[in-house]
Amino acid sequence: MKKQEAKGGYMLFSERYSDLIDVGHGEPVDNICNDIDDATKAELSGTMREFAEPQKIYPDRYSSYDVTTTALELAIDKFNAIKGVPYINLKHNIFDGPIYDHLAATFTPFLFDVIEIQYAELSAGERCDFQSELNEIMRQHDMPWLLCDGHMVKIDAVQFELDLRQKALEQLRELKDCEPKFQAAYDELLSACASLQKLDFASAISNAGKSYESVLKVICVLQRGNADKLTKSYLGTRTDTLPATMAPEGFREKVMMALPFIRNNSASDHGAGATPAVISKPLAKLAINLAAAMNTYLIEEYRDNFVTEQDETPVSSPGNKDNELPF
């Protein structure tokens, strides 16, 4: 069956994880969201109501007739339309306004669907605050979830790992918004996290390695090259960033090649050969955490180097009239 898509062409949360969700065979089964209590869902739905940004739509493209609604109502209507079933019905009859008190009782994967659609319906100025407030609620309640660029992404509940992956994803998101060349690295790290939750550990390791190499390619301005070539190219121009007591080649082999070693020797990208490779979840998590840590390191060095180059750019002297601005 063809997966259904929401605004912007992306797949809804419940469609991305459809193999872990069962609906339509009695009581809905959720094997992805974990146990999220009613009080927490009430806080999430409260923030969704807070960001019910007024919207004006025109049902008939050839008429000036308009309908006043909100981003939340639009999200719920679109969710029901995509599903083909009014799973979320907040009105007792056609004359009632929406009764949002029932939103918190929604099946959690469907609530996440609406969050993603609502994010897409909000104006650009509201999206950042909407995302930040929802993420703060999830952080306070130790929920292993993160709304990242309008997508609900599962991150391990261990706080260290959550912070590590969140920082890497946020930095990549900021960079790809300014520099589209980082888009691939961002998408690949998101895919690695999604593969981990689907228990596809080989894909998780593969995408983690791809994300790391994508960042290296952008920074080194290279279109091709394996990890060995990319790390040598990177350190070839940046040895001054390491302490004098640290051998660049040692740093490359012991630190920068750790993730490529896991990827190349786990049979995640190369055939397993005569002996089938058994990849454990902890190993896949290690690969993702290494990608997050190394991407963060590379991005911070990249930004620091960019700022330094900007600071070293010659500035016109006050006495040089040829370089003065005409105002």
Side-chain angles (χ1 to χ4, degrees):
M1 184 177 74
K2 183 179 178 181
K3 300 294 186 182
Q4 295 159 311
E5 296 180 344
K7 182 177 179 179
Y10 67 83
M11 201 176 293
L12 282 179
F13 173 88
S14 62
E15 296 295 335
R16 298 198 301 274
Y17 295 104
S18 59
D19 50 342
L20 298 174
I21 298 167
D22 185 23
V23 180
H25 302 90
E27 190 72 20
V29 177
D30 169 18
N31 293 315
I32 179 67
C33 297
N34 296 347
D35 293 328
I36 300 175
D37 59 54
D38 292 340
T40 302
K41 289 172 68 174
E43 286 191 49
L44 293 173
S45 60
T47 297
M48 295 166 72
R49 292 170 59 181
E50 180 184 343
F51 282 85
E53 182 181 29
Q55 304 272 358
K56 186 175 289 187
I57 59 174
Y58 296 85
D60 184 350
R61 65 187 299 172
Y62 300 109
S63 169
S64 60
Y65 170 71
D66 61 72
V67 175
T68 300
T69 182
T70 69
L72 179 53
E73 287 183 68
L74 275 176
I76 293 171
D77 289 343
K78 291 189 176 184
F79 164 79
N80 287 332
I82 290 170
K83 290 296 184 182
V85 178
Y87 284 116
I88 304 176
N89 185 2
L90 301 181
K91 299 180 181 180
H92 291 306
N93 60 63
I94 61 173
F95 301 106
D96 287 335
I99 304 173
Y100 293 122
D101 292 340
H102 304 306
L103 186 60
T106 301
F107 183 48
T108 304
F110 292 168
L111 185 66
F112 284 5
D113 282 339
V114 177
I115 286 174
E116 292 188 344
I117 301 174
Q118 184 176 355
Y119 176 92
E121 294 299 331
L122 287 170
S123 61
E126 290 285 84
R127 288 177 181 175
C128 183
D129 289 342
F130 178 67
Q131 180 167 284
S132 296
E133 292 202 20
L134 288 176
N135 284 340
E136 179 60 20
I137 293 171
M138 291 186 280
R139 186 192 67 79
Q140 289 178 354
H141 292 277
D142 293 324
M143 287 175 57
W145 289 98
L146 175 73
L147 181 61
C148 188
D149 207 22
H151 287 68
M152 293 297 294
V153 180
K154 191 165 189 180
I155 306 177
D156 196 277
V158 177
Q159 191 62 40
F160 170 77
E161 293 185 350
L162 190 152
D163 290 343
L164 179 64
R165 295 181 204 171
Q166 178 175 352
K167 182 175 183 180
L169 284 167
E170 287 180 347
Q171 287 190 333
L172 279 171
R173 178 178 59 79
E174 291 173 5
L175 275 177
K176 64 99 176 172
D177 287 345
C178 301
E179 303 180 64
K181 56 191 176 183
F182 283 98
Q183 180 74 51
Y186 174 78
D187 290 341
E188 287 155 353
L189 189 54
L190 275 178
S191 295
C193 292
S195 295
L196 180 66
Q197 291 313 127
K198 294 181 178 180
L199 306 183
D200 186 352
F201 303 141
S203 293
I205 292 175
S206 175
N207 283 308
K210 288 177 181 178
S211 178
Y212 174 49
E213 289 185 5
S214 291
V215 172
L216 281 168
K217 286 176 183 176
V218 171
I219 293 175
C220 296
V221 196
L222 292 172
Q223 294 294 324
R224 301 173 63 88
N226 58 20
D228 184 66
K229 177 182 177 180
L230 293 169
T231 52
K232 285 179 179 177
S233 175
Y234 178 82
L235 284 180
T237 57
R238 290 172 175 80
T239 53
D240 57 328
T241 63
L242 299 176
T245 54
M246 187 178 295
E249 183 58 19
F251 178 78
R252 190 187 76 83
E253 289 184 351
K254 307 298 183 184
V255 180
M256 299 192 74
M257 289 299 293
L259 176 55
F261 175 84
I262 292 174
R263 179 185 175 189
N264 294 338
N265 291 279
S266 64
S268 60
D269 271 349
H270 311 286
T275 306
V278 178
I279 303 174
S280 67
K281 184 175 182 179
L283 184 63
K285 287 171 62 178
L286 174 62
I288 293 175
N289 290 338
L290 281 172
M294 291 308 300
N295 285 356
T296 298
Y297 165 76
L298 292 170
I299 289 168
E300 290 181 348
E301 288 282 2
Y302 172 78
R303 283 175 162 168
D304 289 347
N305 187 59
F306 178 78
V307 171
T308 300
E309 289 178 353
Q310 291 290 97
D311 291 342
E312 291 176 353
T313 302
V315 180
S316 303
S317 61
N320 188 350
K321 293 185 178 181
D322 292 335
N323 291 325
E324 288 182 358
L325 294 174
F327 51 83

